[in-house]
Amino acid sequence: MDKNVFQSELNRVRYTPAGREALTEALMKGKAVPVRRPIRWARMGLAAALAALVLAGSAVAAGTLWERYFGRLDETQQEIVKTLSQELPAAEANGTTMTPLAAFGDQDFYYLMLEIRAPEGTVLPDYGEDEGYYQLFNPDAGESVTLLDGTGNDIRGNLEFEWMPRTGDSQVLTVVIRLWPIEGVNFSDGTDKVLHIPGLWVQSPDKIYTPVLSGSWDFNIGTHTGNVESRTLDTTGVTVEDERFGTVTLDALRMSPLGLYYRSRWAHGAEDDTLLCPPLEISVVMADGKEIYLDNTMGSGRDDECWYESYGPFEAPIDLSKAVCVRWNGVEIPIH
């Protein structure tokens, strides 16, 4: 029996009880386990200083803009964002303009900060959690955010989005969309990848979708990429022993300023079938001793063949030149 897992929710890449339960259920049933960062709901009070940051022409401006999402970024991290950044044109439909404020990515992950400006006179209210949630899709109507290649074929993938705090303008929403990788898709290869947004809805707590803005907005996120740096680390002979799974081997490890890809295998399944793959701990150790963890992971595997591979973005971009090693289940793999 094939047992596939596509996404697992992790807390600093250590399985929580809830995450382990979700992963086990997905492996047993072949179901997708959704991953989403907690949505920070709209708050009033951020000054209109955002307007001065929209045209992020410097590392400081781009980095400061992204601090709304990642938290504080130092000068090096701001420079990384600038290096990976690209400019995308706005799209307009039915009086609603969607403007990319900032966008950047590497081979595996892509981030788009998008301003949604409703037609003049339209108010986009704040909603409490007991009232409703803004959504960019409506499953009841078959409307979803898609990513298409240059010939219009759907690139099956995964994404999540998070609403940014409000700027005080009741006509405007700002959202960050994070695209996750999928086998065979490279966000930095320069080929057409058109992100399509079908509209804006409010989802009630009872999952009733009410249309707010209708139209079609497209952004070609693949036509330009920044200077992408990635490193494939030597994992020859990197193993650990697990009393339930036997020898666990790290077969592959690749990292970039935005995240990690890794693949592992193990000798045999555990007698306790509630745990279908070895627990994982992985982090990046910086020159100052700080450990950098991943912000959730997404992957696939087969427990009957004893392997698993996964992608995970860092909590914020890192400077690879200041990274010393990757720590995997207590084993340190040098980066330089």
Side-chain angles (χ1 to χ4, degrees), residues 304-315:
D304 56 340
E305 296 181 359
C306 299
W307 66 268
Y308 181 77
E309 63 179 5
S310 186
Y311 300 84
F314 296 124
E315 296 170 337

Side-chain angles (χ1 to χ4, degrees), residues 73-91:
L73 301 176
D74 60 29
E75 291 183 4
T76 301
Q77 291 174 308
Q78 293 172 15
E79 184 62 33
I80 291 169
V81 170
K82 178 186 177 184
T83 300
L84 296 176
S85 291
Q86 61 178 296
E87 295 183 5
L88 299 173

Side-chain angles (χ1 to χ4, degrees), residues 43-329:
R43 299 192 299 270
M44 304 294 286
L46 278 190
L50 173 63
L53 301 174
V54 169
L55 299 178
S58 69
V60 174
T64 303
L65 187 61
W66 279 105
E67 285 183 344
R68 303 176 68 201
Y69 179 78
F70 291 112
R72 185 181 181 279
L73 301 176
D74 60 29
E75 291 183 4
T76 301
Q77 291 174 308
Q78 293 172 15
E79 184 62 33
I80 291 169
V81 170
K82 178 186 177 184
T83 300
L84 296 176
S85 291
Q86 61 178 296
E87 295 183 5
L88 299 173
E92 189 275 338
N94 298 329
T96 296
T97 301
M98 296 192 183
T99 304
L101 302 181
F104 69 97
D106 64 5
Q107 176 176 340
D108 297 324
F109 297 99
Y110 192 92
Y111 295 83
L112 172 64
M113 184 180 292
L114 193 65
E115 179 192 85
I116 302 173
R117 181 172 292 274
E120 193 66 33
T122 301
V123 174
L124 301 175
D126 290 321
Y127 290 97
E129 292 188 25
D130 58 342
E131 298 176 297
Y133 312 85
Y134 284 112
Q135 301 284 23
L136 298 175
F137 57 84
N138 179 356
D140 295 340
E143 298 281 3
S144 60
V145 179
T146 60
L147 187 65
L148 308 178
D149 65 18
T151 60
N153 294 317
D154 185 30
I155 302 174
R156 294 176 59 87
N158 299 275
L159 64 83
E160 59 187 3
F161 58 90
E162 181 176 343
W163 299 103
M164 295 292 96
R166 301 292 287 269
T167 62
D169 190 337
S170 63
Q171 189 182 342
V172 173
L173 295 173
T174 304
V175 63
V176 171
I177 298 173
R178 179 166 66 183
L179 294 168
W180 292 73
I182 184 173
E183 184 178 357
V185 176
N186 180 345
F187 290 124
S188 64
D189 63 6
T191 62
D192 290 337
K193 297 176 185 65
V194 179
L195 181 69
H196 168 73
I197 297 176
L200 181 71
W201 289 262
V202 172
Q203 173 193 328
S204 73
D206 296 328
K207 294 189 176 181
I208 297 174
Y209 291 82
T210 302
V212 178
L213 302 172
S214 60
S216 178
W217 296 266
D218 294 331
F219 306 93
N220 193 338
I221 68 171
T223 53
H224 170 76
T225 57
N227 298 318
V228 179
E229 177 187 12
S230 65
R231 297 181 184 177
T232 299
L233 278 60
D234 183 6
T235 59
T236 304
V238 177
T239 62
V240 295
E241 295 298 323
D242 187 283
E243 61 181 8
R244 294 154 297 184
F245 294 90
T247 302
V248 184
T249 302
L250 183 63
D251 281 332
L253 179 60
R254 184 181 72 244
M255 64 184 303
S256 78
L258 300 187
L260 287 172
Y261 160 81
Y262 49 92
R263 179 185 174 97
S264 61
R265 56 186 167 87
W266 49 96
H268 54 76
E271 293 182 3
D272 181 1
D273 61 6
T274 61
L275 185 60
L276 300 178
C277 63
L280 170 69
E281 292 187 3
I282 192 167
S283 63
V284 176
V285 181
M286 306 300 287
D288 60 3
K290 182 180 180 181
E291 279 191 88
I292 305 297
Y293 297 95
L294 302 182
D295 181 21
N296 292 328
T297 65
M298 180 191 74
S300 62
R302 288 185 54 146
D303 73 307
D304 56 340
E305 296 181 359
C306 299
W307 66 268
Y308 181 77
E309 63 179 5
S310 186
Y311 300 84
F314 296 124
E315 296 170 337
I318 70 169
D319 182 356
L320 290 186
S321 68
K322 297 180 180 179
V324 175
C325 67
V326 174
R327 185 172 288 157
W328 175 78
N329 285 337

